[in-house]
Amino acid sequence: QVQLVESGGGLVQPGGSLRLSCTGSGFTFSDPFTTYAMSWYRQAPGKERELVAGISTSGKSTTYRDSVRDRFTISRDNAKNTVYLQMNSLQPEDTAVYYCKALQGTGRNYWGQGTQVTVSS
């Protein structure tokens, strides 16, 4: 059974940093027979879920939404079956539930349960 578990969320003051982690079980990030592109999404109250950052299976290719490009960094450690999101210079508008997603090479998506990030003074 594929599972993704996020951690690292919390309350932080504006300008602060957090590092989110997402660890997968029931599958292998570096499965030789398929690919697992990983992404972080977020959803603020009353808003649609939006893509924050994505990373290819190898980790060589990344993508970011414009508003976080110079502040967030996505990375992955396939040996640990974990993807990270380093978030710096956090702002109140970054407040949301952050979700991890695995996109299997077949096109199937797997989602984590989310972790709350609140940026407030």
Side-chain angles (χ1 to χ4, degrees):
Q1 180 181 357
V2 173
Q3 282 191 320
L4 295 170
V5 178
E6 300 98 334
S7 61
L11 173 64
V12 63
Q13 291 186 341
S17 298
L18 284 174
R19 187 195 196 201
L20 305 183
S21 299
C22 170
T23 299
S25 61
F27 70 107
T28 303
F29 275 29
S30 56
D31 188 328
F33 300 106
T34 188
T35 58
Y36 286 101
M38 303 299 296
S39 302
W40 286 97
Y41 284 72
R42 67 186 180 188
Q43 187 167 20
K47 295 187 177 181
E48 293 186 353
R49 192 173 296 189
E50 61 185 20
L51 175 65
V52 176
I55 188 167
S56 62
T57 300
S58 67
K60 294 180 180 180
S61 178
T62 58
T63 185
Y64 299 91
R65 71 180 303 104
D66 288 344
S67 62
V68 309
R69 188 179 306 281
D70 297 325
R71 301 184 294 122
F72 292 7
T73 302
I74 188 171
S75 61
R76 64 192 291 163
D77 186 336
N78 287 346
K80 295 182 178 180
N81 248 33
T82 299
V83 61
Y84 305 97
L85 185 68
Q86 177 67 44
M87 305 186 295
N88 299 328
S89 302
L90 283 161
Q91 300 302 317
E93 53 265 35
D94 296 315
T95 295
V97 178
Y98 283 71
Y99 297 90
C100 172
K101 189 193 83 169
L103 172 61
Q104 192 181 41
T106 60
R108 184 168 183 176
N109 288 314
Y110 299 95
W111 291 90
Q113 83 290 346
T115 185
Q116 177 69 47
V117 171
T118 302
V119 185
S120 175
S121 56

